[in-house]
Amino acid sequence: MAGQADNRAPYARIAAHYAELIASGQLQPGTLLPSIKNLSEEWQVSTATVEKALRKLRNDGLIRGIHGIGTEVVDQPSSMSSGSQRQDRGRRTGSSWGDGERSDSHQAAVVPAPVDVAQALDIQPGTEVVRRSRVYRDRHGIVAHSTSWIPARYGRLIPQLATSERLTGGTSLQLIAEATGHAIRHRIDTASASRLTAEYARLLELNLDDASADPVVVMTAKFVDSEGNVVEYGVDLGGPGRTWRTESEVVA
């Protein structure tokens, strides 16, 4: 396969390629993937490598095997991302978007810090902060509503943080680290379930009366720089039917 250098294992590259095609809608639910033999020839890898890639896609809930027929793409919304996962993605790719995602409804304003935000940012309630929000979507609908709360001094240092447009030149954390010379060194993540409030319904574009009684997944992430300054507090609300998923290698 032609493309830019990729240091991932061959099975991971194959799995990522088909995950992107599925997430973007290029491979619709019900589509059959090529046979293991054909994939082996196309990617110039062993059948064992192809089987490992397909196993990963099955574990991710993207495909399923049908006896006597083949491997079928499954229709399933992708999982939501936490703020820290979006930071990792932004550092690797330059964008916080996941496979097949886009963002819209970018809004920014300088506002007084609510009590919970002030506590997270280690400032006094009512102190001015930059509030940046956006909605992440894929072909299934809203993945997450994301809000970043940033001390106002960084907004004065980087004016585009307070503008209602998608950031250019990197994520907010990358822009802050570049402007201050202080790298982001520490982060604190939380995950919880909350009942669907009227405010959450508005942000997730739901009708509160018709909405499911299922709780909303609420993810928060607090980012601290090398000088010990809390530079951003992020809050992500999972869209309907979304779950939070994380993956890591296990060392025996």
Side-chain angles (χ1 to χ4, degrees):
M1 285 286 162
Q4 61 184 10
D6 190 332
N7 294 323
R8 290 174 294 184
Y11 87 89
R13 292 201 300 272
I14 297 170
H17 172 75
Y18 281 99
E20 167 63 23
L21 293 180
I22 292 169
S24 65
Q26 295 180 64
L27 285 180
Q28 292 292 316
T31 302
L32 293 178
L33 295 188
S35 69
I36 290 177
K37 180 184 178 196
N38 287 343
L39 286 172
S40 174
E41 293 173 352
E42 178 183 356
W43 288 83
Q44 298 182 349
V45 297
S46 68
T47 56
T49 295
V50 172
E51 288 171 348
K52 189 173 182 180
L54 295 180
R55 185 161 59 249
K56 174 170 173 50
L57 291 170
R58 284 196 299 272
N59 290 340
D60 290 346
L62 298 176
I63 62 172
R64 64 174 179 172
I66 304 177
H67 183 67
I69 297 178
T71 303
E72 179 187 57
V73 174
V74 175
D75 188 17
Q76 181 177 334
S78 62
S79 59
M80 67 173 288
S81 303
S82 67
S84 56
Q85 288 170 318
R86 293 189 186 282
Q87 180 208 17
D88 290 340
R89 188 182 297 143
R91 187 171 61 247
R92 291 195 312 269
T93 69
S95 172
S96 61
W97 293 347
D99 291 340
E101 285 185 3
R102 66 186 188 281
S103 61
D104 58 35
S105 304
H106 290 258
Q107 297 183 7
V110 177
V111 300
V115 173
D116 60 325
V117 171
Q119 182 177 9
L121 293 177
D122 196 23
I123 59 178
Q124 290 296 316
T127 302
E128 285 191 339
V129 293
V130 175
R131 181 186 63 206
R132 293 190 56 82
S133 63
R134 80 291 288 166
V135 178
Y136 291 95
R137 306 178 194 269
D138 64 11
R139 63 191 178 89
H140 293 279
I142 290 182
V143 177
H145 181 283
S146 182
T147 303
S148 299
W149 301 88
I150 304 168
R153 65 180 181 275
Y154 298 117
R156 292 189 289 270
L157 185 63
I158 310 164
Q160 72 161 315
L161 290 178
T163 62
S164 296
E165 298 176 358
R166 184 167 179 254
L167 295 176
T168 59
T171 65
S172 55
L173 291 168
Q174 290 170 322
L175 293 173
I176 291 170
E178 182 178 350
T180 63
H182 301 147
I184 307 302
R185 294 297 189 196
H186 185 62
R187 70 191 186 203
I188 303 168
D189 301 318
T190 72
S192 61
S194 174
R195 66 184 179 86
L196 182 66
T197 64
E199 177 64 6
Y200 287 173
R202 182 184 70 81
L203 295 176
L204 294 173
E205 301 174 10
L206 298 173
N207 184 324
L208 186 60
D209 295 331
D210 298 335
S212 165
D214 290 345
V216 176
V217 178
V218 181
M219 311 286 299
T220 73
K222 182 164 66 172
F223 299 93
V224 183
D225 71 11
S226 57
E227 297 296 298
N229 302 304
V230 181
V231 301
E232 184 172 317
Y233 175 60
V235 181
D236 286 272
L237 307 177
R242 306 287 174 162
T243 58
W244 177 54
R245 181 178 182 277
T246 185
E247 180 178 333
S248 60
E249 297 297 326
V250 177
V251 180

